[in-house]
Amino acid sequence: MTRVAVIGAGLAGLVCALRLAQGGADVTVFSRGTGGLHLTPGMIDVLGYAPERVEAPGETLAGWVAARPEHPYAQLAGAPLEEALDWFRGVAAPLRYGGDLAANMLLPTAAGVARPTAMAPAGMAAGDLRGGRRVVAVGLRALKDFFPAYLADNLRRAALPGGAAVEARHAVATWSPRPGADVQGHYFARALDEPGARAGLAAELRAIVEPGETVLMPAVLGMRASAEAWEDLCERAGAPIAEVPTLPPCIPGMRLNLLLTRALGEAGGRMVVGPEAVGVDGSGGRIDAVRIRDAARVRAVPADHVVLATGGFESGGVELDSYGAVREPALGLPVAGPPGGGRGLGPRHLDEHPLMAAGVRVDDRLRPVDASGAPVWGNLRAAGSIIAGAVPWREKSGEGIAIAAGHRAACTILEDT
Amino acid sequence: MAHPLHDAVRGSLDNCVKCTICETYCPVSAATPLFPGPKYVGPQAERFRGEGPSPDDSLTWCSSCGICTHVCPQGVKIAEINSIAKAEMAAERGIPLRDRLIARPTLAGRLGAPVAPLANRLARNRLVRAAVERAVGVHRRAALPTWAGRTFQSRTRLRRQPPGRPGERPAVVYFHGCAANYYETHTAEMAVRVLEMQGLDVIVPRQGCCGLPLQSNGLYPAARHYVRRLAGSLAPYARAGHDIVSTSTSCGLMLKREAREILDMEDDDDLRAVSGRMYDICEYLALMHERGELRTDLLTPLDMEVPYHAPCQLRGHGVGTPAMDLMRLIPGLRPRQVDAVCCGVAGTYGLKREKYDVAMAVGEPVFGQVRESGAELSVCDSETCRWHIAEATGVPSVHPVAMLHRSYGLG
């Protein structure tokens, strides 16, 4: 049985590991802590801005990558991306992901921005703003950092295609699983898995909502049984409800993490959370083992293939030192720094920062390459934000790259064995 | 006064990005609003601690299960920060007699062993337990172990060999810990038989307590003393090239890492030598299997489904769940990992009168899945967790080596 070590448990690492386990490989995911899905809103962005807002990501991508041969999508757009998203739709069926590459939805953020995204769970897709909508934004009194007045106010000013408009007002519901306390989103979510708890909230919503309105709620409606909780709440409230993702920890990302890690376990994959990958052993251009630092020592874990999915700067997959040098700390791979050299940082926070596109460059089989374009190791692949060339939060491309690269890395390994 | 947080732990504090992932995994804050979660009392409150009284005593509800450190993607030593802060607060306020007693399992072990039948009868007597609860504060329904008549040490004196003596077969050292010495001697015996089955000689040197219960009850100087003494008795074996194998996940972790990090014993040479050779028994057997050295050919079928709970302290080892990998090697055995993080007892936390209800609420998801499985037994690597789970569910709980022992036809 082919032994594969996947380093990193974010979206790219989990997608890759699950696809490999389904394909019969013996997979172990090593992750320093829980992966970053907890911090993401659970939407699948493929291409949102290029740099103008993108309406049809599939169509736009073709021309867009032609002009960007260094972008990860140059290896992934087209069939690999489409196959990966079809596979993901199947895997994530319990969360009812809808949408495709034909057209971006415009889903409200907690700041009242219409965010272009390709796929989202049904409970979020219900808030699609294309064509305009009448909404009532409902906050939860005990939940901090979700401001329905702010959301409604900004939505009224949202720029929508074809001059469509949002009619928005706001209200606050007082139901809480822990009366008298500030309550984080995950306590609401776990409580609302229980049908009994949903009755109290639904009664309040029924009193608030007016005919023709969609209720916009913070995305805390259920954790393990979220699709059922959402459907049940819509029915009890007598109105359509759409979830709006909150600040991290973000429940829709946690739901996706739960779904993928559980599916991985059922497919026979292993998760080893805690230790850090600190290098590899190998010879003749192939890796034999990954070096893992556990509680007592560094041990060599034998592997036939390795996938590096440690993320970008935000996850520590790439580091910048005080001299401006960029490095990849886990395996010491060559890093493609900011295009055009220099420190790659703009003068102001929200400016362009070319540095953020730093990462490892890969070939058409997603193998990290050196400056001459040759693979560093014949049996090493990279997936997700560690791949150089993208600025995901500006392009709104992060999940598309993660899923397509994770899936493609797995498929190329399965082809090799 | 020097700051109680030493550099190894304090250095991690600034890595906290307030993502709150630790809180979403915290089993205690999920069970009770009394504990606001590891982020608040850890990286956040730590900035307000220094000289003078602690700013917030909600910290006392932390069970020190360590899940927060385990899941932190930024490498913040949250559980370690909280352990040290808890010990500081305990020192400020005085440590109750109860905590001093339950922190010394060797004391209870030595007192009860010679009079085991009587001690066991008393420990099961409701009136006695009610009196103990009133007088000392150990909850009347908390699971207490059963004293074995003779200690494992006294049964196994013949195995007390010096380090490095050349033999026909490779020799490993078995570190049994207090629980397997005074109470679960059968677990220790099964571990030795299973190791011998692999063609290993097993040495059982004299050994004392690792000091973990002292550490978790804030008695740091005493804990350091215990660690030094134990490391001193095991280090000669480690230096002579013997691996040290343990059936106690928490005591093994104490010697691997916790004593060095929490008790600030990084410079202890004996401890460093022991840490480098210390293995959890399932980790050790799984590594043997990886090298093709495990006698899988002698495993006979066990046609049963068993729920398995990976204890918090095992997660701290950073080795995954080797017990699952081993049990999957047994033909017919269908191990099913419980989908919950903690059983609630966290060593001595669940024994305490004021903490017992919280510990039971924490463990309910584990108990529910064990009960619903309908299995005749459940499996868990850690002894206090086994006692707690068995008491709460009425289903006996065994160490994973018991499954191997049974499959090898050893009894």
Side-chain angles (χ1 to χ4, degrees), chain A residues 47-378:
Chain A
L47 187 66
Y49 292 93
E52 298 305 314
R53 193 161 70 193
V54 173
E55 284 186 22
E59 205 182 294
T60 306
L61 261 178
W64 194 71
V65 295
R68 288 169 184 78
E70 310 269 272
H71 194 278
Y73 273 142
Q75 314 285 6
L76 299 166
L81 174 65
E82 283 162 34
E83 278 168 31
L85 292 179
D86 282 346
W87 172 88
F88 177 81
R89 197 175 284 109
V91 165
L95 293 174
R96 301 188 205 171
Y97 271 84
D100 52 39
L101 291 174
N104 274 332
M105 294 179 265
L106 289 176
L107 301 186
T109 70
V113 174
R115 171 190 172 123
T117 193
M119 291 168 71
M124 271 193 245
D128 192 352
L129 300 169
R130 285 175 300 169
R133 192 173 279 274
R134 273 183 65 203
V135 301
V136 53
V138 180
L140 292 162
R141 180 152 292 154
L143 180 75
K144 293 183 292 184
D145 303 331
F146 186 90
F147 307 103
Y150 172 59
L151 167 56
D153 199 33
N154 278 345
L155 279 182
R156 279 194 291 269
R157 290 182 275 179
L160 299 177
V166 177
E167 214 178 295
R169 62 186 188 95
H170 73 276
V172 174
T174 57
W175 179 83
S176 168
R178 292 186 168 182
D182 281 345
V183 184
Q184 294 268 7
H186 52 280
Y187 302 113
F188 274 103
R190 290 195 190 113
L192 290 169
D193 276 342
E194 302 300 323
R198 300 198 281 260
L201 176 59
E204 277 191 83
L205 295 179
R206 189 180 274 279
I208 288 169
V209 68
E210 290 170 6
E213 280 182 335
T214 298
V215 181
L216 297 185
M217 291 282 300
V220 298
L221 309 180
M223 180 73 84
R224 286 171 184 252
S226 58
E228 296 75 11
W230 168 69
E231 211 167 62
D232 182 44
L233 274 166
C234 290
E235 202 178 302
R236 286 173 193 250
I241 299 174
E243 287 195 307
V244 177
T246 62
L247 288 182
C250 207
I251 311 304
M254 290 176 67
R255 293 171 188 153
L256 187 52
N257 184 65
L258 265 172
L259 179 123
L260 292 175
T261 51
R262 195 183 293 175
L264 177 61
E266 280 164 11
R270 273 183 228 94
M271 294 275 299
V272 180
V273 178
E276 204 169 346
V278 292
V280 288
D281 297 335
S283 59
R286 290 186 75 81
I287 295 172
D288 309 318
V290 183
R291 300 180 69 76
I292 301 289
R293 183 187 292 131
D294 63 28
R297 60 197 142 251
V298 173
R299 70 194 148 106
V301 178
D304 302 310
H305 291 273
V306 178
V307 181
L308 184 69
T310 45
F313 282 104
E314 67 281 11
S315 331
V318 186
E319 285 180 357
L320 176 73
D321 71 16
S322 56
Y323 298 97
V326 186
R327 60 184 209 110
E328 185 282 300
L331 311 188
L333 296 172
V335 174
R343 298 203 61 171
L345 290 170
R348 290 182 310 165
H349 188 63
L350 294 178
D351 283 352
E352 293 279 352
H353 304 294
L355 175 67
M356 295 301 146
V360 299
R361 201 156 278 153
V362 294
D363 68 5
D364 60 343
R365 297 177 76 73
L366 301 184
R367 291 176 300 194
V369 294
D370 60 20
S372 73
V376 181
W377 299 100

Side-chain angles (χ1 to χ4, degrees), chain B residues 1-323:
Chain B
M1 188 186 89
H3 196 281
L5 277 194
H6 46 81
D7 294 347
V9 171
R10 186 154 185 95
S12 74
L13 193 61
D14 287 339
N15 291 341
C16 178
V17 297
K18 311 286 181 266
C19 70
T20 317
I21 281 177
C22 55
E23 192 186 315
T24 66
Y25 278 93
C26 176
V28 179
S29 66
T32 173
L34 290 167
F35 186 54
K39 182 187 74 170
Y40 290 109
V41 303
Q44 286 184 195
E46 186 54 41
R47 300 187 185 282
F48 297 94
R49 294 190 191 108
E51 292 184 39
S54 185
D56 172 20
D57 64 3
S58 63
L59 177 60
T60 52
W61 291 99
C62 167
S63 75
S64 296
C65 71
I67 293 285
C68 44
T69 292
H70 175 70
V71 298
C72 175
Q74 306 293 344
V76 184
K77 301 277 178 190
I78 310 161
E80 291 76 4
I81 290 169
N82 289 340
S83 282
I84 295 167
K86 228 171 13 165
E88 279 292 298
M89 194 159 69
E92 255 165 53
R93 297 175 182 195
I95 297 168
L97 173 69
R98 185 263 324 268
D99 294 4
R100 292 176 189 276
L101 287 175
I102 59 178
R104 290 179 171 82
T106 38
L107 182 67
R110 274 197 210 125
L111 288 174
V115 290
L118 176 67
N120 289 329
R121 256 209 315 281
L122 289 175
R124 299 268 172 284
N125 183 295
R126 278 184 197 190
L127 291 173
V128 172
R129 289 294 301 268
V132 168
E133 179 182 296
R134 268 196 307 278
V136 195
V138 173
H139 196 281
R140 66 185 73 187
R141 285 196 299 279
L144 292 184
T146 310
W147 278 275
R150 271 179 75 196
T151 63
F152 179 66
Q153 275 282 332
S154 71
R155 288 168 201 238
T156 190
R157 270 190 200 127
L158 288 176
R159 298 178 184 282
R160 214 171 279 152
Q161 297 154 30
R165 203 178 65 179
E168 280 174 23
R169 313 199 302 173
V172 293
V173 167
Y174 175 47
F175 167 52
H176 48 65
C178 303
N181 190 35
Y182 296 106
Y183 311 110
E184 277 198 9
T185 51
H186 54 284
T187 299
E189 271 149 24
M190 287 190 287
V192 170
R193 297 292 300 279
V194 167
L195 288 169
E196 285 175 342
M197 203 71 182
Q198 317 308 327
L200 298 166
D201 276 336
V202 181
I203 306 172
V204 183
R206 238 184 226 292
Q207 48 190 278
C209 173
C210 70
L212 171 61
L214 289 162
Q215 174 190 285
S216 49
N217 285 286
L219 296 147
Y220 281 16
R224 284 191 194 100
H225 172 69
Y226 276 45
V227 172
R228 266 187 223 111
R229 203 174 49 188
L230 176 60
S233 51
L234 295 178
Y237 293 92
R239 292 201 180 99
H242 297 289
D243 291 329
I244 306 168
V245 181
S246 167
T247 42
S248 174
T249 48
S250 53
C251 308
L253 184 61
M254 181 73 178
L255 293 179
K256 274 185 174 183
R257 189 187 68 195
E258 286 204 338
R260 290 191 284 131
E261 285 192 347
I262 296 176
L263 300 178
D264 194 16
M265 297 181 72
E266 205 66 64
D267 296 334
D268 189 300
D269 286 339
D270 283 348
L271 182 57
R272 262 211 304 259
V274 171
S275 296
R277 286 277 178 182
M278 191 77 207
Y279 293 85
D280 177 73
I281 191 166
C282 290
E283 172 193 14
Y284 198 73
L285 295 170
L287 286 171
M288 288 189 79
H289 180 56
E290 203 172 275
R291 297 192 298 265
E293 294 165 11
L294 193 80
R295 294 303 302 266
T296 49
D297 53 325
L298 301 176
L299 291 167
T300 61
L302 295 180
D303 182 21
M304 61 197 288
E305 189 166 316
V306 285
Y308 165 72
H309 174 58
C312 305
Q313 277 75 14
L314 175 74
R315 294 165 201 255
H317 287 247
V319 298
T321 49

